[in-house]
Amino acid sequence: MPGGAKLAGDVAWIGSLYAATQVLRLATNIILARLLAPELFATMTLINTLRMGCELFTDVGVGQGIVSRPDGDDPKYISTAWTLQTIRGLVLFALAWVFAYPIANFYNQPQLATLIPVAALIFVSTGVASPTRFILQKQLKVRKLTTFDFSWTLITSLISIALAFVMPGIWALMVGFLLGSALPAIASFFLVDYRLHRFSLDREVLRSIMTIGKWMFLSSLIYFMSMNFDRLYLAKAIPFALLGVYGIARTYSEAAMMLVHQIGTFIIFPKIAAHTERGEGLRRAIAPIRRHALAGVAVVLGVSIAGADAVIELLYDHRYHAAGPILTILLAGSWFAVLATFADAIILGVGAPSGVALGNGVKLVWTMVALPLALAYAGMATAVLVLAAGDALRYVALAYGKRRHGLSFVRQDVAFTTLFVITALVCRELASLIGLTGDIGSWITAARSLNG
């Protein structure tokens, strides 16, 4: 198969499985929301956020080393990487036991003192999991890798739903959470030759991995906090039932951004990295890709905003209806998250990762300062508006970074932002005329209701 045709086929395969995965996750979320209380989702949202933070803060660059180094798939390198990854998992497991009680006290949620140590078993399973997925990534076997991921997402979803029917409580979510990590970890040893795995620490390989890892820490810290400060802060500042509702809305609003992340990772980033030109020549090369992608996202996201509250009311019971206005606001911010995600791929492609860190840093500072003030003095609706504005500020910082490299797309962004806004307003009015939703003014009324 010619290289271009293979690339197009791989991208189509990845896009299709990504879409199927998102549909599956959202369907699972809807079913579980029917069976379980919002407070349970809030608890798992907090636990999962803390888990992601621990893993990002201790990212030593195992995957990056395997993919980027010529000898990354050498048995000596794999064995050292696997050993280091296992040690890291065991250390995180131990630390979770130490800090479980203080965390429970901080959030005034006594159940966390029991749940966090149990949830920490995920560090053990991810630690001992084979790093072979990075070998597949290195070898560009994306179909095998994405099929593997989708298969376990499907199995985990079915298990979680079955558990929720049998024992509709927090342990249904917790067991599904743990099995969703443990089962793929076991299966990962069969992706390639399992004999690659030996417990050993080669000094030269270890030095190479740690060199990558020391640069990963600061970047991961800024990224994690910019993307998750809201969850960590709101878990302390609002009732857990409202946090669970917010988590539902956040799940939906992130779908478009994650799709664009896939496009940036598998198309834009490698195209820029391989392109010999920079400046205007590179801008012309990637402008068509960006134009077609943004046109589709603008229309889909505009239609989604128009009916977001109606969809929530249709799919969820009254306990979750407050997610409607929250989702509407977050989807507006998602448009700027989409633009910023494209910018991330472009800036990384030209070898300027500091620009990405700057964008995330701007969003983090804004959120840390503005979110507590908005929640305290103006209410939940304004707090959600602050979060949406954070992505707009991140985009502005990244747009400045792109301009320094001669890769400005301001006119394109203004054009498609206009398309996005017009689509949202027109579709809302049309839906109102046929009785599916309220009119444009009902958005403001619904947002005010969040403030009680």
Side-chain angles (χ1 to χ4, degrees):
M1 181 184 294
K6 182 181 185 302
L7 176 61
D10 286 344
V11 170
W13 181 271
I14 292 167
S16 299
L17 277 187
Y18 173 80
T21 299
Q22 293 305 310
V23 170
L24 175 61
R25 286 175 174 169
L26 294 177
T28 303
N29 185 281
I30 292 168
I31 296 172
L32 291 177
R34 294 280 181 179
L35 300 172
L36 304 173
E39 293 87 345
L40 304 184
F41 286 96
T43 300
M44 290 307 300
T45 294
L46 179 57
I47 289 174
N48 199 36
T49 301
L50 292 171
R51 187 268 303 175
M52 288 190 297
C54 289
E55 292 186 341
L56 283 172
F57 293 164
T58 58
D59 187 355
V60 293
V62 167
Q64 291 77 9
I66 292 174
V67 174
S68 62
R69 285 181 60 91
D71 61 343
D73 54 359
D74 182 81
K76 182 171 63 175
Y77 197 101
I78 293 296
S79 293
T80 299
W82 182 54
T83 303
L84 189 60
Q85 180 181 276
T86 301
I87 294 171
R88 168 200 178 209
L90 293 174
V91 170
L92 288 176
F93 176 72
L95 289 175
W97 280 78
V98 172
F99 288 102
Y101 188 73
I103 292 172
N105 280 342
F106 177 77
Y107 285 107
N108 195 29
Q109 298 291 329
Q111 72 272 22
L112 291 177
T114 301
L115 294 174
I116 288 177
V118 176
L121 288 169
I122 197 171
F123 295 132
V124 179
S125 59
T126 56
V128 300
S130 171
T132 49
R133 65 177 296 110
F134 300 114
I135 298 178
L136 294 180
Q137 186 177 345
K138 183 183 184 69
Q139 297 172 347
L140 298 178
K141 295 182 178 179
V142 293
R143 298 192 182 201
K144 184 175 182 179
L145 182 57
T146 52
T147 302
F148 177 82
D149 290 339
F150 175 78
S151 299
W152 288 109
T153 300
L154 174 60
I155 292 171
T156 302
S157 296
L158 294 175
I159 291 174
S160 298
I161 292 171
L163 289 171
F165 272 106
V166 175
M167 47 178 187
I170 189 62
W171 291 108
L173 294 175
M174 180 61 71
V175 173
F177 175 72
L178 293 175
L179 288 177
S181 172
L183 294 177
I186 295 171
S188 66
F189 287 90
F190 300 96
L191 287 173
V192 298
D193 189 349
Y194 68 90
R195 291 172 295 182
L196 284 171
H197 306 84
R198 296 285 188 276
F199 283 115
S200 67
L201 288 173
D202 181 88
R203 183 174 297 179
E204 182 181 346
V205 173
L206 185 60
R207 186 183 301 113
S208 171
I209 293 175
M210 296 308 293
T211 299
I212 297 173
K214 70 181 181 181
W215 296 111
M216 293 293 300
F217 174 75
L218 181 60
S219 177
S220 296
L221 174 63
I222 296 174
Y223 173 80
F224 171 77
M225 290 302 296
S226 69
M227 298 300 173
N228 294 282
F229 177 80
D230 58 331
R231 292 184 174 104
L232 296 173
Y233 176 77
L234 293 176
K236 177 71 173 177
I238 64 176
F240 253 43
L242 182 56
L243 179 65
V245 170
Y246 173 78
I248 294 288
R250 183 80 190 270
T251 298
Y252 279 90
S253 69
E254 289 178 338
M257 187 269 290
M258 292 305 297
L259 174 58
V260 171
H261 176 74
Q262 296 288 319
I263 296 172
T265 299
F266 291 103
I267 301 178
I268 294 181
F269 171 65
K271 186 176 182 65
I272 292 176
H275 207 278
T276 56
E277 293 185 80
R278 288 293 182 262
E280 182 60 26
L282 178 59
R283 195 190 72 80
R284 287 197 301 267
I286 61 178
I289 301 173
R290 207 173 174 277
R291 181 169 57 249
H292 289 115
L294 282 178
V297 173
V299 172
V300 172
L301 201 55
V303 173
S304 299
I305 287 182
D309 51 352
V311 171
I312 291 293
E313 291 181 7
L314 176 66
L315 298 178
Y316 293 88
D317 62 54
H318 68 280
R319 296 172 299 171
Y320 296 91
H321 284 180
I326 293 175
L327 177 58
T328 300
I329 299 170
L330 290 179
L331 283 174
S334 289
W335 171 251
F336 292 100
V338 164
L339 295 178
T341 302
F342 271 124
D344 282 346
I346 291 171
I347 291 175
L348 287 174
V350 297
S354 60
V356 176
L358 174 63
N360 287 327
V362 168
K363 177 182 177 180
L364 175 59
V365 171
W366 163 259
T367 306
M368 291 180 67
V369 173
L371 177 59
L373 292 175
L375 190 62
Y377 295 105
M380 187 66 183
T382 306
V384 179
L385 281 170
V386 161
L387 295 172
D391 282 310
L393 292 174
R394 174 176 162 234
Y395 161 71
V396 171
L398 289 166
Y400 174 76
K402 288 188 301 178
R403 186 174 183 179
R404 291 173 56 194
H405 296 279
L407 296 171
S408 176
F409 293 92
V410 172
R411 290 184 180 179
Q412 197 178 75
D413 291 349
V414 170
F416 288 112
T417 299
T418 303
L419 173 63
F420 161 67
V421 173
I422 291 175
T423 301
L425 295 178
V426 170
C427 289
R428 181 68 176 188
E429 279 300 306
L430 290 176
S432 174
L433 289 174
I434 60 178
L436 295 178
T437 68
D439 59 14
I440 293 174
S442 66
W443 276 336
I444 299 175
T445 302
R448 287 175 175 170
S449 70
L450 291 174
N451 295 331

